[in-house]
Amino acid sequence: MTLKYQKAQYTPLVPAKHKVKENTKKFASIVLCFWLTSILMGIAIYFTNFLELVSYSSKEILEHQLYMDDIVINRAALNGYLINTAGCKIPEMNPFDASVKAFVSKPDMMVCNKNIPPLFDSNLTSIYLVEPALKHYNISNSTELTCCYKSFWREDPKGSDNDKQMKFSENCTNIEDFSAYIIDEFIKVTCDYETKQIYEDYFAFVPKKRNESIDRSDRLKPNILIVGLDAVSRVNFHRQMPRTLGYLVNKLGAVEMLGYNKVADNTFVNLMPVLSGHFVDELKQTCWPNDTVRFDDCSFLWNNFSDKGYATTFGEDCAWMGIFNFVKRGFGKQPVDYYYSPYSWITENAIGNDKDFNCELCLGGRKVYSTALDYVSKVVQTMAIDSQPHFTFFWTVSLSHDYLNYPSLGDSTYYNFFKRLKDDGLIENTVVVFMSDHGIRWGDIRQTYQGQLEERLPFVYIVVPDWIRTEYPKSFANLKRNSRRLTTPFDLHETLKSFLHVESLGKEKVTVDYSSRSYSLFDEVPANRTCESAEISAHWCTCQQSVDVNVSDASVIEAAQFAVGYMNDQLRGYAQCVKLTLDDILNARLLYHTEKEIEKGNDLKDYTVTIRTTPGEGVFEATVRVKNNVFTAVTGTVSRLNLYGKQSSCMTDFHLKLYCYCDSLLKTF
């Protein structure tokens, strides 16, 4: 059957060639008419966009366009592509493209604790009563109010226990005059009024744990601060958080990695290359053989920096579904000096509220993500006071994991977070990485071509201290050049490792391994780098050109059936899961391969199909490879595009939860 192709959505923009007219008056009139027509069309488009994007002002859209004009040095040379190299072409995408505008909106503001504010607050070393809040608790006589606090700490989990074990002190220390100096790391505050408990709250502090202070003039130990915002594509970051974007680029001089391509499906499998330099399957061969084993035997970046005298911090909010916790066992021994995740898990269970699908959005009267950033600020400030070099890795999930538009609610908070750090002089000798792991992985936008690309292209911004830019100009020039090359989480790992020996930035490499899957971003990434050489499977690769294919095409149908068969093969041996059946093919694309593959004599085709299965109406996206007219494999993994909720509650394997529909659900109908 002949394939029927629709026009590709992203086609290189070919500059028009104009002939010079001899009659200049006629030419001038043509130009004048052209510009008048363009202006009228522009006005019409503006008002169309205004009506369709009621929630976004024209100023926001214009500011984004001006920013894009600034970062793309030679738009003509890029021909409509954000990355345009010999090995990779990634199309430029408009955050407000017509294909995705319907999914963009301003969400309702979060309401924490029914708008009842916290009764206590904290600074670096103390807790104190917030007197204006008394009226919200109907406290008319503060002499009747008594408050105390208990310290608590992490205990090593045993057996199959989750990594959230905490032990509380038996005594509750009275808070005299409604303020107290705290020497503990974690505390629980309770208050009674007229013999009844009316308040419960939790606070985290950063007590000194190391004595590795350095001379403030010693710049060879730059701090490392990595702040993650889960499930936000580069394009959606532009769309949702323009204030933070503007501050990073214009005030901090951040370099945006425009071609940063994820290498696997979800958070865990994309952050393992960053933290360990390995794929998950490689970890299974060395230090983490299965899901029941804890991660203590694996080496992560914080171990390398700890060996160099750095204080180390790792934390995340919504920790029950955290990087090392979701259907996994976490750590036995505490992995870093300051370990926030168990605290997050315990406190969100205790006073979390305004839960929206997966995560509690509030911790008492505070937003969860805001509380997490306040803790990071405490870490950075404490390390600066103690002249202690630090490696801090913090991942925020609650704001952005579940919904495309929620990041806009945190724009001002993240903007203020970075602004305070800079204004207070806390990051002058700090490498700052602000990043995500992937774009939104489900929802209606994922069934568009742009949504598919966005999901594979998370945002990454890198800020380096001024002295590194000055002393190692070639390395910094490479970083900027690489912002327009295909890059991966493995490259970010190598880049962070380079700060263990900063002086190495000034050393020329005698030879460059052009077949390597990872490069420091301070070395030039080859322009002919392909997804294949970067070890990005075709399913996740955004470099390949593709076209729409008719869903009734025989090859598409065969690809869809192959994908369903693949999922059923993965579920074989799990009797609790029902066999899946193809229900519908929603869309399909044919991916082109490089001339290099053709020269090898390989007749390769990759079909990316979006399908729906029964039972459960799961929507999946799979890339199926055809070699010499034979369907041979699913590349990468099969992506789940809609939420599965409790459909897979009978499955404990975190990979297979995406596919499993529990047999017990059929028996309930």
Side-chain angles (χ1 to χ4, degrees):
M1 181 180 289
T2 304
L3 297 180
K4 298 178 181 178
Y5 301 135
Q6 298 177 16
K7 184 179 179 182
Q9 293 188 29
Y10 293 98
T11 306
L13 302 176
V14 181
K17 296 181 180 179
H18 300 286
K19 294 182 179 179
V20 178
K21 304 292 184 180
E22 293 181 2
N23 189 331
T24 56
K25 289 184 178 180
K26 183 177 180 181
F27 177 68
S29 64
I30 291 172
V31 171
L32 180 60
C33 290
F34 171 78
W35 281 110
L36 287 172
T37 303
S38 298
I39 291 169
L40 291 172
M41 289 179 65
I43 293 171
I45 291 170
Y46 169 81
F47 281 106
T48 300
N49 284 340
F50 179 78
L51 291 172
E52 293 188 62
L53 282 170
V54 175
S55 300
Y56 284 85
S57 68
S58 58
K59 181 175 181 291
E60 288 177 296
I61 299 173
L62 178 60
E63 285 177 347
H64 174 266
Q65 187 59 52
L66 291 173
Y67 170 73
M68 290 302 296
D69 288 340
D70 181 58
I71 62 171
V72 179
I73 293 176
N74 189 344
R75 298 177 74 86
L78 292 174
N79 286 331
Y81 292 102
L82 204 58
I83 306 297
N84 191 356
T85 63
C88 180
K89 296 181 186 295
I90 299 176
E92 184 176 346
M93 289 176 280
N94 181 353
F96 303 100
D97 185 79
S99 66
V100 298
K101 281 192 297 187
F103 312 117
V104 180
S105 62
K106 289 283 190 181
D108 294 334
M109 298 298 292
M110 298 176 190
V111 177
C112 291
N113 202 31
K114 300 179 181 178
N115 273 329
I116 300 174
L119 191 56
F120 272 79
D121 206 345
S122 70
N123 54 32
L124 277 183
T125 59
S126 304
I127 55 172
Y128 54 89
L129 180 73
V130 181
E131 291 190 17
L134 289 171
K135 62 184 179 183
H136 295 278
Y137 294 85
N138 298 317
I139 298 173
S140 57
N141 183 5
S142 61
T143 61
E144 295 292 323
L145 179 68
T146 59
C147 301
C148 65
Y149 71 89
K150 288 186 175 185
S151 63
F152 61 99
W153 53 92
R154 177 185 183 271
E155 288 198 321
D156 294 345
K158 296 180 176 62
S160 61
D161 289 344
N162 289 320
D163 187 4
K164 62 171 183 177
Q165 308 308 309
M166 290 285 192
K167 185 172 183 178
F168 288 77
S169 62
E170 293 184 4
N171 296 326
C172 197
T173 304
N174 189 43
I175 302 174
E176 301 286 349
D177 298 323
F178 301 117
S179 67
Y181 180 81
I182 305 298
I183 61 173
D184 304 293
E185 188 169 7
F186 305 126
I187 65 167
K188 172 185 177 181
V189 174
T190 55
C191 293
D192 292 348
Y193 183 65
E194 295 179 345
T195 71
K196 180 181 178 182
Q197 181 174 314
I198 56 125
Y199 186 69
E200 179 180 345
D201 208 347
Y202 296 80
F203 296 94
F205 294 90
V206 189
K208 188 171 183 177
K209 295 187 178 184
R210 281 183 176 247
N211 294 304
E212 187 69 23
S213 61
I214 60 173
D215 190 292
R216 291 179 185 272
S217 63
D218 183 0
R219 301 180 303 185
L220 294 182
K221 279 191 174 181
N223 305 306
I224 308 295
L225 173 60
I226 305 166
V227 179
L229 182 60
D230 196 271
V232 180
S233 71
R234 189 192 69 83
V235 174
N236 200 38
F237 180 68
H238 283 233
R239 188 187 287 131
Q240 306 289 347
M241 304 182 76
R243 288 192 75 198
T244 308
L245 167 67
Y247 193 81
L248 286 167
V249 173
N250 298 323
K251 299 299 183 181
L252 295 184
V255 177
E256 180 179 28
M257 306 311 297
L258 303 174
Y260 187 85
N261 199 125
K262 76 174 195 173
V263 295
D265 188 22
N266 58 23
T267 303
F268 176 61
V269 290
N270 280 297
L271 288 185
M272 287 307 97
V274 176
L275 292 172
S276 72
H278 297 288
F279 279 116
V280 169
D281 285 345
E282 294 168 345
L283 293 182
K284 288 184 175 181
Q285 300 301 315
T286 56
C287 63
W288 188 63
N290 59 66
D291 299 350
T292 65
V293 175
R294 303 191 192 277
F295 289 90
D296 295 57
D297 292 335
C298 298
S299 180
F300 300 107
L301 278 173
W302 50 65
N303 300 117
N304 304 118
F305 281 90
S306 180
D307 291 343
K308 288 287 185 178
Y310 281 66
T312 54
T313 301
F314 166 57
E316 52 196 331
D317 63 4
C318 200
W320 76 268
M321 55 182 289
I323 300 166
F324 300 97
N325 294 330
F326 182 62
V327 201
K328 296 181 283 292
R329 296 284 176 81
F331 294 90
K333 299 296 182 182
Q334 182 158 316
V336 289
D337 296 313
Y338 302 95
Y339 188 26
Y340 184 89
S341 299
Y343 168 85
S344 167
W345 199 335
I346 290 294
T347 56
E348 287 171 32
N349 282 345
I351 59 171
N353 61 91
D354 196 24
K355 186 172 184 177
D356 196 346
F357 196 64
N358 277 307
C359 296
E360 304 284 0
L361 300 182
C362 300
L363 197 60
R366 305 176 186 86
K367 298 178 181 68
V368 168
Y369 72 89
S370 181
T371 301
L373 291 180
D374 287 344
Y375 176 77
V376 176
S377 295
K378 283 182 178 179
V379 171
V380 175
Q381 191 172 350
T382 300
M383 297 302 126
I385 291 171
D386 294 339
S387 297
Q388 169 66 56
H390 67 94
F391 175 95
T392 300
F393 183 92
F394 210 98
W395 203 258
T396 54
V397 178
S398 60
L399 175 66
S400 54
H401 181 272
D402 293 335
Y403 298 102
L404 176 75
N405 296 300
Y406 269 30
S408 65
L409 298 176
D411 190 17
S412 292
T413 302
Y414 278 87
Y415 165 83
N416 288 324
F417 167 74
F418 287 114
K419 187 175 187 300
R420 282 197 303 268
L421 292 182
K422 178 175 173 57
D423 289 349
D424 293 344
L426 298 174
I427 52 174
E428 291 178 356
N429 190 33
T430 300
V431 176
V432 179
V433 178
F434 186 39
M435 65 177 293
S436 193
D437 46 356
H438 50 73
I440 197 76
R441 293 168 51 228
W442 47 59
D444 292 338
I445 193 173
R446 274 294 283 110
Q447 296 184 42
T448 68
Y449 179 49
Q450 174 154 328
Q452 179 192 104
L453 289 175
E454 285 193 34
E455 188 262 353
R456 289 150 168 80
L457 295 166
F459 76 83
V460 175
Y461 293 85
I462 300 174
V463 180
V464 298
D466 289 341
W467 69 269
I468 290 181
R469 303 182 190 207
T470 302
E471 294 189 18
Y472 305 105
K474 186 171 182 178
S475 295
F476 185 67
N478 282 336
L479 175 64
K480 296 188 73 173
R481 181 181 294 109
N482 291 334
S483 71
R484 293 179 181 83
R485 300 279 168 90
L486 173 64
T487 55
T488 75
F490 290 106
D491 302 327
L492 186 54
H493 176 81
E494 292 299 324
T495 305
L496 293 167
K497 277 177 60 178
S498 68
F499 292 108
L500 292 165
H501 304 282
V502 180
E503 64 279 2
S504 66
L505 293 179
K507 295 180 180 178
E508 291 279 351
K509 284 198 171 182
V510 178
T511 59
V512 178
D513 182 2
Y514 288 103
S515 63
S516 176
R517 78 173 176 191
S518 61
Y519 300 88
S520 166
L521 296 173
F522 291 112
D523 298 324
E524 185 175 355
V525 174
N528 63 352
R529 189 187 208 186
T530 63
C531 285
E532 182 184 26
S533 62
E535 298 191 24
I536 305 170
S537 73
H539 184 59
W540 308 122
C541 179
T542 58
C543 293
Q544 294 167 296
Q545 303 302 290
S546 66
V547 291
D548 287 324
V549 186
N550 194 310
V551 295
S552 63
D553 181 85
S555 295
V556 171
I557 295 171
E558 190 172 353
Q561 291 171 337
F562 189 95
V564 175
Y566 170 84
M567 289 189 286
N568 284 326
D569 285 344
Q570 298 299 302
L571 294 171
R572 187 171 296 157
Y574 295 92
Q576 70 270 35
C577 300
V578 179
K579 184 176 181 179
L580 301 176
T581 303
L582 179 64
D583 179 52
D584 196 9
I585 303 172
L586 304 179
N587 58 65
R589 297 186 73 83
L590 174 63
L591 283 63
Y592 294 123
H593 274 275
T594 62
E595 293 180 4
K596 185 177 179 181
E597 284 294 333
I598 297 172
E599 289 169 359
K600 289 180 182 178
N602 293 329
D603 179 13
L604 292 182
K605 296 177 183 176
D606 285 328
Y607 289 92
T608 296
V609 292
T610 303
I611 58 178
R612 184 170 59 238
T613 62
T614 57
E617 297 188 341
V619 179
F620 300 96
E621 180 183 84
T623 299
V624 183
R625 174 152 294 178
V626 184
K627 186 174 182 179
N628 299 324
N629 296 318
V630 177
F631 285 84
T632 60
V634 167
T635 70
T637 58
V638 178
S639 303
R640 177 83 183 230
L641 304 191
N642 62 343
L643 300 173
Y644 50 85
K646 296 182 179 180
Q647 289 184 359
S648 60
S649 59
C650 59
M651 172 60 71
T652 57
D653 185 293
F654 72 93
H655 293 294
L656 300 182
K657 285 183 80 69
L658 299 174
Y659 316 141
C660 179
Y661 185 89
C662 295
D663 179 70
S664 59
L665 295 176
L666 292 180
K667 297 173 182 177
T668 61
F669 293 105

